């Protein structure tokens, strides 16, 4: 699994003109899934996400996790994060898991993250043409890949 976390002042996901999810301060997370991903990858990422200290404390130092600022999260499926670009100029999506694997893993990821946060996590809609809006705060953008845990 590969994620891009963006600390946001606000974010939303709109599908066919209807707002599906909307948050204030928190994270917009883009999630890419490959066929070899499993619950262990989900658990590792969720632990990292809820423990990540990138919100400012009273001294202006990035020292607080998302729970300490009562932040919210939106998770958007993003198969293009698994692009291979080594050969030629047209990306290959062969690393991205097919729907029968990625949809259940996406749903489990969102459920596990919601449980860890103790509140609902906003989502996009798997496979939909989504319009994602955000105001990146900082900017703070962090990439994580479960294949590079060390």
């Amino acid at each position: 699994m590969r994620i891009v976390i963006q600390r946001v002042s606000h974010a939303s996901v709109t599908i066919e003109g209807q707002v599906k999810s909307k948050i204030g301060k928190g994270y917009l997370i883009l999630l890419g899934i490959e066929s070899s991903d499993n619950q262990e990858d989900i658990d590792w990422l969720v632990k990292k996400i809820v423990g990540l200290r990138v919100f400012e404390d009273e001294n202006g130092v990035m020292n607080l996790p998302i729970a300490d600022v009562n932040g919210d999260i939106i998770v958007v499926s993003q198969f293009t994060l698994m692009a291979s670009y080594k050969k030629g100029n047209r990306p290959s999506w062969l690393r991205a898991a097919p729907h029968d694997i990625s949809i259940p893993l996406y749903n489990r990821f969102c459920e596990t993250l919601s449980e860890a946060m103790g509140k609902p996590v906003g989502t996009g809609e798997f496979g939909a043409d989504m319009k994602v809006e955000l105001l990146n705060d900082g900017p703070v953008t962090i990439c994580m890949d479960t294949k590079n845990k060390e």
Side-chain angles (χ1 to χ4, degrees):
M1 283 186 173
R2 183 175 290 166
I3 63 171
V4 175
I5 301 173
Q6 296 178 77
R7 186 180 76 180
V8 299
S9 295
H10 61 82
S12 65
V13 176
T14 302
I15 303 167
E16 296 181 5
Q18 299 294 317
V19 175
K20 167 92 166 104
S21 296
K22 185 175 183 177
I23 63 169
K25 177 185 275 194
Y27 294 143
L28 172 71
I29 298 177
L30 306 175
L31 172 67
I33 300 170
E34 62 183 304
S35 295
S36 63
D37 292 331
N38 57 41
Q39 187 66 44
E40 184 179 314
D41 296 297
I42 292 170
D43 293 341
W44 185 83
L45 279 174
V46 166
K47 183 177 179 183
K48 284 290 189 183
I49 292 165
V50 298
L52 192 63
R53 299 184 328 178
V54 295
F55 291 92
E56 293 178 355
D57 63 17
E58 65 278 355
N59 297 315
V61 176
M62 287 197 298
N63 198 28
L64 300 176
I66 191 165
D68 287 5
V69 298
N70 197 29
D72 293 309
I73 297 176
I74 294 178
V75 180
V76 176
S77 61
Q78 184 82 40
F79 79 93
T80 60
L81 287 178
M82 306 315 291
S84 174
Y85 46 83
K86 305 260 183 204
K87 188 175 180 181
N89 292 319
R90 183 178 178 149
S92 166
W93 317 115
L94 292 175
R95 285 190 59 200
H99 284 181
D100 62 322
I101 293 173
S102 54
I103 291 173
L105 285 174
Y106 170 76
N107 290 334
R108 259 190 276 151
F109 178 85
C110 292
E111 290 165 8
T112 304
L113 185 54
S114 179
E115 289 170 9
M117 291 288 295
K119 60 182 170 178
V121 168
T123 63
E125 185 176 309
F126 201 93
D129 179 20
M130 296 176 274
K131 305 304 180 207
V132 179
E133 292 187 50
L134 66 126
L135 180 59
N136 194 321
D137 180 18
V140 174
T141 302
I142 297 173
C143 301
M144 294 182 189
D145 191 321
T146 59
K147 304 304 183 254
N148 296 316
K149 293 179 186 173
E150 304 300 316

